[in-house]
Amino acid sequence: MPPAANGSQPPPPVSGEEQTSGLGTFGGVYTPSILTILGVIMYLRFGWVVGNVGLLGSLIIVTLACSITLLTALSISAIATDRVVRVGGAYYMISRSLGIETGGAVGIPLYFAQALSVALYTIGFAESVVSAFGFLNQLYVALIVTVLVAVLAITSADIAVKAQYMIMAAIVLSLLSLVFGGPLSNTQVELWGIADGEPFWQVFAVFFPAVTGIMAGVNMSGDLKDPSRSIPKGTLAAVGTGYVIYMVLPVLLASRADAGTLVSDPLVMQRIAAWGPAILLGVWGATLSSAIGSILGAPRVLQALARDGVLPVWLSFLGKGSGANDEPRLGTAVTLVIVVAAVYVGDLNLIAPVLTMFFLTTYLVLNVSAGLEGFLNSPSFRPLFKVHWSLSALGALGCLAVMLLINPIATLLAGAIVAAIFFWLQRREMQTAWGDVRRGIWMLLLRTSLFQLGHSPDAKNWRPNFLVLSGSPMRRWDLIKFANALSHNRGLFTVTNILPSGSRGVTQQKDMETTIDNYLRDRGVQALVRVLTAPDPYEGAERLVEIYGLGQVVPDTVLMGDSENLASRDRYCQLITRLHKANRNVVIFRAGDVGLPPWRSYRQIDVWWGGLNNNGSLMLILADLLRADSEWREATLCLKLVVADETAAEQARKNLDRLTDDLRVRAKPSVLVANGRPFEAIFQASSAQADRIFIGMAIPDQDFPSYYERLQARVAGLPSTVFVLAASESKFTNVLLED
């Protein structure tokens, strides 16, 4: 058994896939499932169904409803035969397939739905008993029955299941009494019901919950001797038995009572049965069996939720089991408290529709789980009971359609509750020891996206894909912060660390990548991480540019720090030259000599303009991306251009105004007149108060090291500066001019 999500290890029931003791298929799955399917709706509402839509309409409704249930049962069978299903039933299946967040989002409402269903069943039982024996108090009867079924569940699941055998005998007796009964009078069979009957889909919505009892057996997964064998056999047998019975009953009802009587008399079965009291015993047996099934299932879901750490830490004691069979007695006691409180409230009709939606949501998600597993066809998904993914998808659509037909408002409310729990669990960032289908989904989407990208460039959607040569993030955090500000969690960037050859093995490299990744995640940075060994950092950078990437998704922009080390300047400049020849944009971030006061926000971004075809377009794109970051949103983007004299200044201002309008960039043009002053002096004076400066670099040549030394001298004493060397200016001009 995998360890729990919170790190605690629940006691393993046994080693291997089968327990040495436990419930079998008939007692553990078939009996609770068929007793829930042949429930109160069969006795008190099925006559109303036949009366409203007639014999043929009833047969169609039964077939449609059982088809959806059958599809869900097939999905459950596929999941159950792919892995050992431990305690928790549906929750366990969903959490191991779609992840603990989805499992918890469905499992918590499912637990409360099952717990409150106990109250619904015991209150219904009490109402029926009081109607037969008027001197009894309904509240006391409901409380006594609630406590008795809870005591039965706490004592032993095996004893509770054996008690259901007696209930099954009562239901079989009632059905036999109905079969050997007779008509009320000479009756003409109504094929389509009464003329002013309820609409077909409304009748369908009333009947459908009758065939959704298959979870009663699945919930006992932790108590089964062989869940992988018992769950498919028992569930499918229960669905088949239920379908046969529900297909025979309309024939008996339609041939023995007229449509008007069937609609108006809820206990019409009692009147047409050979022995009327047997029907009343069946009604009582149906409510009791449903109550027992729910009181057995709910604590086991609660136990699994606690063991996986889904519940808060202070409720972790609910994961403990008792006795050799790991009975959830503490969970049953807590469930009893909830049920007793609900019985005291009495009227649960307002929340009953939402409870039904929680059950149907569970069926829907189980179908989704099996459908996704089958569609992705992961090597690890090898069910013995194979079901095509399209059948599971059809079952999921059927469940959703039925939910909307039964009660659209309750469907939306249940969906909102499930979504709220999902996001709550997601924020807790829970770690699990098992994989789930989500990674397979992302891998499929990644594969599809890579092939869809193709080879044609797309100027409209271009974003820089950075390769950040930062080394250890702690040493050059400003580089990573700059890349993060430009990506906005929309683009890609990779943080790299190049280590000396032989300093780390493959395992140590992976461990370092994990450490860096965790460091970035803790600071809210979404980035890829790559650690490489090489004889020196420069050769490592060249290797990364040559080999790193996947398909068409390769870094097109190398972001690196400035180098003032004279000993390695020639090698540094050689790297820039080779990166440019490899058709990569080179962006060099130089930390400022003047720091920003902590109380002051970013106010000004300077872009020194040399035209669209001289690094200008890429600088403008990067500056505009930076200004879109939340910390830079209030900054003014200043587009600065130096001209020789006032005569050229007027035309330059017009050109810059037209340029910013055409490019749809919010920038403030600033034309500076040299009047004989050198560019370095103008540059130093104009950008001294800027917070970030963008300036282009010349295309590398043989004298590039000397040029770079002069460039460093030009920005000495200024705030942080970004040197930009574009690989192909025409590309970025197209990006800016794209409509």
Side-chain angles (χ1 to χ4, degrees), residues 1-2 4 10-14 19 83-96 110 114 157 217-224 227 231 296-308 318-322 325-329 331-332 434:
M1 176 184 290
V14 283
Q19 301 181 34
R83 61 178 66 93
V84 178
V85 182
R86 304 297 187 193
V87 65
Y91 159 74
Y92 186 94
M93 293 180 179
I94 294 169
S95 63
R96 270 57 180 179
L110 177 63
Q114 289 181 323
V218 176
N219 289 334
M220 300 301 296
S221 58
D223 297 84
L224 299 174
I231 289 176
L296 285 173
R300 282 158 175 79
V301 174
L302 188 65
Q303 185 182 44
L305 290 167
R307 286 181 173 177
D308 284 348
L318 294 173
K320 296 179 181 178
S322 303
N325 293 324
D326 197 29
E327 301 276 356
R329 290 173 183 168
T332 305
W434 63 84

Side-chain angles (χ1 to χ4, degrees), residues 76 111 338 371 488 512 572 585 631:
I76 292 171
Y111 164 72
I338 295 173
H488 311 146
M512 182 171 285
Y572 180 81
N585 308 308
E631 292 186 3

Side-chain angles (χ1 to χ4, degrees), residues 193-222:
I194 56 178
D196 56 346
E198 298 290 340
F200 178 86
W201 290 114
Q202 187 171 336
V203 177
F204 177 86
V206 171
F207 171 76
F208 185 79
V211 296
T212 59
I214 55 176
M215 279 298 107
V218 176
N219 289 334
M220 300 301 296
S221 58

Side-chain angles (χ1 to χ4, degrees), residues 352-509:
V354 181
L355 300 185
T356 301
M357 295 306 113
F358 286 146
F359 285 114
L360 287 173
T361 300
T362 304
Y363 306 149
L364 186 152
V365 177
L366 282 168
N367 278 303
V368 170
S369 299
L372 285 174
E373 294 272 22
F375 178 74
L376 295 173
N377 197 23
S378 302
S380 62
F381 185 65
R382 301 184 299 274
L384 299 177
F385 191 100
K386 295 186 180 297
V387 178
H388 195 269
W389 64 267
S390 61
L391 296 177
S392 298
L394 186 61
L397 291 174
C399 288
L400 181 61
V402 168
M403 291 170 69
L404 294 172
L405 283 171
I406 292 176
N407 194 321
I409 296 176
T411 299
L412 294 176
L413 181 58
I417 293 172
V418 169
I421 297 173
F422 176 86
F423 289 120
W424 170 63
L425 293 174
Q426 195 174 52
R427 289 188 62 184
R428 289 172 58 188
E429 298 182 349
M430 302 174 67
Q431 300 296 320
T432 59
W434 63 84
D436 56 63
V437 76
R438 288 176 295 181
R439 186 175 180 85
I441 296 173
W442 292 126
M443 288 299 294
L444 177 63
L445 292 174
L446 175 61
R447 179 186 182 278
T448 304
S449 300
L450 285 172
F451 284 111
Q452 287 295 322
L453 283 175
H455 295 271
S456 302
D458 182 3
K460 184 179 182 64
N461 296 293
W462 182 85
R463 281 181 179 271
N465 183 348
F466 288 108
L467 187 67
V468 184
L469 304 179
S470 63
S472 173
M474 291 72 80
R475 294 176 54 196
R476 285 189 167 178
W477 182 251
D478 285 344
L479 267 181
I480 296 172
K481 186 178 179 181
F482 181 48
N484 192 50
L486 294 174
S487 71
H488 311 146
N489 287 338
R490 297 293 186 274
L492 292 173
F493 71 95
T494 303
V495 175
T496 65
N497 190 11
I498 300 169
L499 305 173
S501 296
S503 62
R504 295 286 191 279
V506 175
T507 303
Q508 287 77 18
Q509 284 181 233

Side-chain angles (χ1 to χ4, degrees), residues 63-76:
T63 301
L64 285 175
C66 287
S67 297
I68 296 173
T69 304
L70 175 62
L71 292 173
T72 305
L74 292 174
S75 296
I76 292 171

Side-chain angles (χ1 to χ4, degrees), residues 126 187 189 210 306 401 412 421 525 633:
T187 304
V189 175
L412 294 176
I421 297 173
V525 175
R633 202 159 288 160

